[in-house]
Amino acid sequence: MNVAVEKDIAKVGVQNSSEWDVLIVGAGFAGLYMLHKCQQRGYRVRLFEAGDGIGGTWYWNRYPGARVDVESMEYSYTFDAELEQKWSWSERYAAQPELQRYVNFCADYFDLWPNIQLNTKVTDAVYNEATGSWRIGTENGVNTTAKHCVMATGFLSSGQIPNFDGVDSYQGETYLTSKWPKEKVDFTGKTVSIIGTGSSAVQAIPLIAKEAEHLTVFQRTPPYSIPLRNEPLNKEFEKLVKSMYPEWRERQRWQSRAGFIAVNNEPTYPNDKSAIEVSEKERLADYEMRWRSGGLCYYSSFVDLLQNQEANDTLAEFVREKTRQRINDPELAELLLPRGYPIMAKRLCADTGYYETYNRDNVSLVSTKSDPIEKITARGIVVAGREYVSDVIIFATGFDAVTGAISRISVTGRGDRDLNDHWEGAPRAYLGLISTGFPNLFFLDGPCANGALVSPMLLSEHQVEWVDRCIAHSGLEEGASVEPRPESEDEWMVHMHEVGKDSLLHKANSWYMGANIPGKPRALLSYLGGLENYRQQTEAGESDNYRKLVVSKVA
Ligand code: NA7
């Protein structure tokens, strides 16, 4: 520990028998900012990261075409004005390698490396009621104790390969998009199969198709996908944003609905009108304007798109019509067009040449909607009795999202209660930050907050700052603890379900609902109240002196 840190701890008079004041799990954007805050406070802090590099999701997801679909100028840390001015993005939407450069730059900039421990996968955490601290175990046998533990494990970090019959018998090469090798994978001259057509596949397919001898796509549910319109970062736009970053960020935080405001290189406000109450002309003008901008800006279109089926249908039909024009073969287009579930009820995809890829001679589509994948053999994939032989299978099959990464750690709270038991049926956490019976254990971008539906950068920064103040409030002394009153957790869950009950999200089998994982209980995993409302609710939780929490301080 450095002398300055020791001095600071001496200053606040910490008497803590734990090895660490705060142990953070996960070196994504959320965990790294948490580490920065703890360092600023002079805490004894450690961050454990399973990978051998930092970046979390952006460390693991290195498949061809991996790129963020929130604009780079908005998908970056917002808490440090100097950093904002210093860093320049090269593209409108940063690709994975640039995101990794950014995250490493930030770790250097804030001098985070001394407290990051790589290659350290946390397996279990057990609360000690006598000391009010956590014992944390890891895969490589390192055990440690910490007064507070912050799970910054990510909501799209637990990749899943479905348990296809015969999956282990396959003799070719296999890849999972969310755990892609660091070395370049060369598909030249190979026949490749890819299972899945979510965001990851939609990004990877156009690039793999250019290289492979033949690419076969196995599609279960056609996605809704909007052209991303990526390009080198417009320098005028960069200048504009950098000249008004404080105001821009405030609008992202408080006046954006989902955390981003750029549309067609301009700052905008979300559209607060109903899609069915405006004239068709006005409606189509909004949809056209967003189509020109590209990407995810439909999330800030008409206010009722995710609440009202009729409103939603207008956008779904608009997108289908636009999509139809991108595919040469009308029969194939019918197979690729999304139907039967509301647009945005599964996460919208944003693509670069996805549909046009199906116009190539070396790409074919196998629909597994009515004929699911039967099995995987030593040579390939079997659908409807036909074997599709291939040299490579890529699983772009998604994540055990939101709860998966936390659930894979064995977490034992007060009274030997297992967190997975507490979350049985559906996860529960006050403000999505802390669960009753699990004192001093915080979740960033976890369930019951709105991580899945807003720009994660903004949400996690806000949560980190909340957790930072909460830890400071409850203290680091032995025996001190903080957890929600049972009724506070109940109240939040009632509020979350009230806010989400009429959402069209319930009408699709998405990872938002846990419905992409066989056996996972179907439940709304995220708070749908919007970013501003979430910020208000969490701030209210503090301004009444944490009345909804039980804070046991040590005199
Ligand atoms: P997604 O969006 O969950 O996509 C996974 C894809 O894999 C999707 O098309 C699934 O079809 C398909 N899938 C999953 N299991 C199966 C089985 N058993 N059989 C056939 N097809 C299957 O994950 P991504 O990695 O693409 O994107 C995750 C998020 O990252 C995304 O939402 C953005 O936020 C960024 P389904 O739709 O379930 O029928």
Side-chain angles (χ1 to χ4, degrees):
M1 189 191 304
N2 70 40
V3 180
V5 170
E6 249 170 341
K7 259 203 228 140
D8 276 341
I9 289 169
K11 225 171 19 199
V12 292
V14 176
Q15 294 161 6
N16 188 348
S17 63
S18 306
E19 206 169 333
W20 306 106
D21 296 326
V22 183
L23 190 285
I24 301 160
V25 187
F29 282 112
L32 292 172
Y33 182 37
M34 191 76 238
L35 176 58
H36 174 55
K37 291 301 267 185
C38 291
Q39 289 190 175
Q40 281 185 321
R41 293 242 184 217
Y43 292 161
R44 297 172 304 166
V45 59
R46 200 73 168 165
L47 186 153
F48 285 175
E49 162 57 49
D52 66 1
I54 59 171
T57 287
W58 296 114
Y59 172 82
W60 297 105
N61 283 266
R62 352 169 139 243
Y63 58 83
R67 137 182 347 268
V68 63
D69 51 16
V70 174
E71 302 213 16
S72 311
M73 293 303 290
E74 302 193 304
Y75 192 84
S76 48
Y77 279 137
T78 79
F79 63 86
D80 189 284
E82 240 174 66
L83 173 70
E84 279 176 339
Q85 295 299 331
K86 222 176 187 120
W87 182 263
S88 276
W89 296 102
S90 67
E91 292 181 274
R92 184 176 174 199
Y93 297 94
Q96 183 272 339
E98 190 168 21
L99 286 156
Q100 265 237 281
R101 282 198 294 281
Y102 176 70
V103 85
N104 280 277
F105 178 85
C106 294
D108 293 344
Y109 189 74
F110 296 114
D111 196 17
L112 303 178
W113 291 107
N115 291 316
I116 297 174
Q117 191 169 317
L118 300 173
N119 298 309
T120 306
K121 186 170 184 167
V122 169
T123 50
D124 57 290
V126 180
Y127 184 63
N128 180 331
E129 298 195 37
T131 58
S133 60
W134 288 87
R135 190 199 56 74
I136 288 121
T138 66
E139 210 168 65
N140 49 14
V142 175
N143 288 319
T144 194
T145 51
K147 180 76 205 166
H148 297 272
C149 178
V150 181
M151 294 289 179
T153 40
F155 63 95
L156 290 166
S157 46
S158 253
Q160 69 121 5
I161 295 184
N163 192 19
F164 295 116
D165 195 13
V167 67
D168 294 331
S169 65
Y170 180 64
Q171 297 294 306
E173 296 167 51
T174 55
Y175 300 97
L176 177 62
T177 45
S178 56
K179 226 172 183 185
W180 201 263
K182 284 185 186 161
E183 309 71 46
K184 160 140 180 65
V185 180
D186 188 1
F187 296 109
T188 314
K190 293 183 177 159
T191 50
V192 180
S193 292
I194 185 164
I195 304 176
T197 51
S199 292
S200 304
V202 155
Q203 290 187 331
I205 283 168
L207 295 177
I208 295 171
K210 282 186 189 154
E211 219 176 88
E213 167 97 9
H214 192 89
L215 176 66
T216 307
V217 180
F218 292 80
Q219 168 192 269
R220 186 166 66 181
T221 309
Y224 290 93
S225 187
I226 310 296
L228 187 64
R229 307 204 192 285
N230 185 38
E231 57 186 8
L233 185 64
N234 178 318
K235 288 292 162 193
E236 285 307 304
F237 176 63
E238 182 183 22
K239 225 159 89 191
L240 169 75
V241 180
K242 284 192 168 178
S243 72
M244 58 178 292
Y245 244 144
E247 184 191 334
W248 194 287
R249 297 308 200 183
E250 275 306 281
R251 279 176 59 175
Q252 279 185 270
R253 291 182 190 114
W254 291 106
Q255 294 173 300
S256 70
R257 198 180 295 155
F260 35 85
I261 62 170
V263 181
N264 286 313
N265 290 339
E266 302 274 346
T268 58
Y269 292 98
N271 188 336
D272 58 5
K273 295 182 182 169
S274 154
I276 42 180
E277 281 168 13
V278 297
S279 67
E280 188 178 7
K281 189 170 167 215
E282 182 174 345
R283 187 166 58 234
L284 290 178
D286 183 275
Y287 293 163
E288 283 289 354
M289 178 273 289
R290 291 175 197 277
W291 187 263
R292 271 198 314 282
S293 183
L296 301 184
C297 59
Y298 287 102
Y299 284 97
S300 53
S301 182
F302 296 101
V303 69
D304 51 355
L305 285 174
L306 269 176
Q307 298 293 322
N308 181 308
Q309 185 63 57
E310 191 188 339
N312 189 283
D313 288 344
T314 63
L315 178 60
E317 193 44 47
F318 173 87
V319 170
R320 273 193 291 270
E321 193 41 47
K322 290 283 191 192
T323 304
R324 209 174 260 124
Q325 294 163 20
R326 301 175 63 187
I327 306 157
N328 294 346
D329 176 349
E331 264 180 48
L332 185 59
E334 289 314 301
L335 282 178
L336 286 164
L337 288 179
R339 284 200 182 81
Y341 67 99
I343 185 167
M344 299 192 291
K346 277 172 175 278
R347 171 68 152 56
L348 207 52
C349 297
D351 72 275
T352 302
Y354 173 65
Y355 292 106
E356 291 77 2
T357 298
Y358 291 93
N359 299 332
R360 297 173 65 101
D361 291 337
N362 70 332
V363 177
S364 45
L365 180 76
V366 177
S367 172
T368 66
K369 187 90 201 157
S370 42
D371 290 307
I373 291 174
E374 264 168 45
K375 60 179 173 181
I376 294 183
T377 63
R379 303 187 324 153
I381 299 171
V382 179
V383 174
R386 173 170 169 196
E387 184 179 31
Y388 294 85
V389 175
S390 58
D391 303 318
V392 180
I393 298 179
I394 297 169
F395 295 92
T397 39
F399 297 85
D400 183 353
V402 188
T403 52
I406 300 172
S407 301
R408 288 180 195 186
I409 298 173
S410 164
V411 178
T412 312
R414 208 185 270 294
D416 284 338
R417 181 124 170 100
D418 187 294
L419 185 63
N420 285 327
D421 291 340
H422 186 61
W423 285 3
E424 198 183 354
R428 310 171 52 76
Y430 168 62
L431 299 171
L433 285 162
I434 181 165
S435 286
T436 303
F438 299 84
N440 305 355
L441 177 80
F442 300 91
F443 312 113
L444 299 177
D445 279 326
C448 314
N450 42 13
L453 289 124
V454 304
S455 175
M457 194 73 91
L458 284 165
L459 174 73
S460 59
E461 273 189 19
H462 175 69
Q463 290 190 317
V464 165
E465 288 161 13
W466 192 97
V467 171
D468 169 58
R469 290 188 295 269
C470 186
I471 290 176
H473 177 77
S474 68
L476 302 169
E477 294 83 1
E478 181 166 329
S481 69
V482 55
E483 67 181 296
R485 296 179 191 286
E487 61 274 22
S488 310
E489 188 176 275
D490 289 348
E491 253 174 52
W492 180 253
M493 297 316 298
V494 168
H495 172 65
M496 179 177 136
H497 289 292
E498 189 53 34
V499 167
K501 75 178 184 339
D502 295 328
S503 167
L504 298 179
L505 255 53
H506 293 278
K507 293 193 172 182
N509 293 325
S510 71
W511 58 262
Y512 292 150
M513 304 294 304
N516 62 328
I517 302 289
K520 189 166 174 174
R522 188 183 178 97
L524 185 59
L525 299 176
S526 295
Y527 177 64
L528 303 186
L531 186 60
E532 293 126 67
N533 196 10
Y534 180 73
R535 292 177 69 92
Q536 273 163 6
Q537 300 271 354
T538 44
E539 289 182 5
E542 280 179 277
S543 59
D544 67 355
N545 203 24
Y546 298 98
R547 198 173 44 81
K548 299 207 169 180
L549 300 175
V550 182
V551 183
S552 315
K553 292 203 187 200
V554 173

